[in-house]
Amino acid sequence: MAARAEQAVDLPDLDGAIACCFACPRLVAWREEVGRVKRASFRDQEYWARPVPGLGVADARLAILGLAPAAHGGNRTGRIFTGDRSGDVLFAALHRAGLANQPTSVWRDDGLALRDTRIFAAVRCAPPDNKPTPAERDTCAPWLHRELELIKPALRVVVALGAFAWSAWWPAMTAVYGVRSPVPRPPFGHGVRWTGEQTPTVMGCYHVSQQNTFTGRLTPAMLDEVFAEAKLLAGID
């Protein structure tokens, strides 16, 4: 798997390789079981039930790093943050920020296009209870590293959605940029920002999960502030 990631010559090649990965038995079994059993409201749909590639442009100046696809969201639709409440919140915010051409993302071929932005996850398969194991995270890391390498020339800012993505960023940064993580690592927090001399700025943002958005821990205004700052730091008009 790591060798296949390194061999990817561009993003379409990488995306195709990611979608064919079977490296983690527990995740493979779960994503396929969810695709067979289905949620009642989606029983007439054919689930993607595979690893979910990234989404966005190759010359992205802003990257958004998440945890993993949702069982009945990205695992169903085949597009990251698509088809669930988290995606509803995220893409509405990206549209308000001028980074997406529409405020909704419901399926792979719905016409959504991102501007100056790439979205991907630290783990590419939907995990049980939204909790990948450390071994699964590490097994999946080469996909993240290669994706970062391919967008590295233009990338200026990474927004990490949640503590898991924040933690995944530091080893990825070392692998791709050859820069050691700061010691101690900055603790995750909403609005926390770290800038290195030869690396993109990384910004922390509460995850767009229902647990955060339904309780008011993360509001649309807070997301708007994050993306406004990210655009400014990335030099996006």
Side-chain angles (χ1 to χ4, degrees):
M1 189 273 290
R4 180 63 184 91
E6 293 174 2
Q7 293 167 2
V9 297
D10 55 22
L11 287 175
D13 186 25
L14 180 69
D15 292 346
I18 288 171
C20 296
C21 185
F22 289 85
C24 298
R26 187 183 78 114
L27 298 187
V28 172
W30 174 251
R31 78 194 191 204
E32 293 182 353
E33 178 184 351
V34 169
R36 286 191 303 270
V37 176
K38 304 182 181 181
R39 179 172 285 172
S41 54
F42 303 130
R43 62 181 176 273
D44 296 330
Q45 298 184 17
E46 182 178 352
Y47 275 53
W48 173 259
R50 291 189 277 165
V52 180
L55 170 69
V57 297
D59 57 350
R61 285 181 277 179
L62 168 63
I64 299 170
L65 177 60
L67 189 163
H72 301 281
N75 188 58
R76 172 175 60 89
T77 64
R79 183 196 280 166
I80 192 72
F81 281 112
T82 295
D84 59 23
R85 295 292 181 87
S86 295
D88 293 344
V89 172
L90 177 61
F91 286 105
L94 291 175
H95 183 255
R96 291 194 300 270
L99 298 171
N101 68 330
Q102 60 189 43
T104 58
S105 180
V106 296
W107 201 256
R108 295 189 299 279
D109 56 357
D110 63 2
L112 175 73
L114 298 181
R115 170 176 168 258
D116 291 311
T117 304
R118 182 84 179 171
I119 305 175
F120 41 71
V123 175
R124 305 306 171 104
C125 289
D129 300 320
N130 292 320
K131 294 179 180 179
T133 67
E136 290 163 349
R137 175 202 61 203
D138 295 345
T139 299
C140 209
W143 298 126
L144 172 61
H145 298 172
R146 185 56 181 153
E147 194 154 3
L148 285 169
E149 288 172 351
L150 290 170
I151 65 173
K152 179 179 176 181
L155 187 60
R156 298 293 177 268
V157 177
V158 175
V159 174
L161 297 178
F164 190 96
W166 180 264
S167 296
W169 165 250
W170 306 105
M173 180 186 74
T174 298
V176 175
Y177 290 88
V179 175
R180 289 186 177 181
S181 302
V183 179
R185 291 180 182 174
F188 171 76
H190 184 82
V192 171
R193 187 176 82 190
W194 182 86
T195 302
E197 294 183 1
Q198 301 173 331
T199 65
T201 295
V202 59
M203 299 176 60
C205 177
Y206 290 146
H207 196 280
V208 287
S209 65
Q210 293 184 51
Q211 182 179 356
N212 288 332
T213 59
F214 280 18
T215 61
R217 189 177 189 224
L218 178 64
T219 66
M222 292 167 67
L223 267 179
D224 291 347
E225 290 175 359
V226 166
F227 288 127
E229 182 178 2
K231 284 179 62 180
L232 181 64
L233 293 170
I236 300 172
D237 296 330

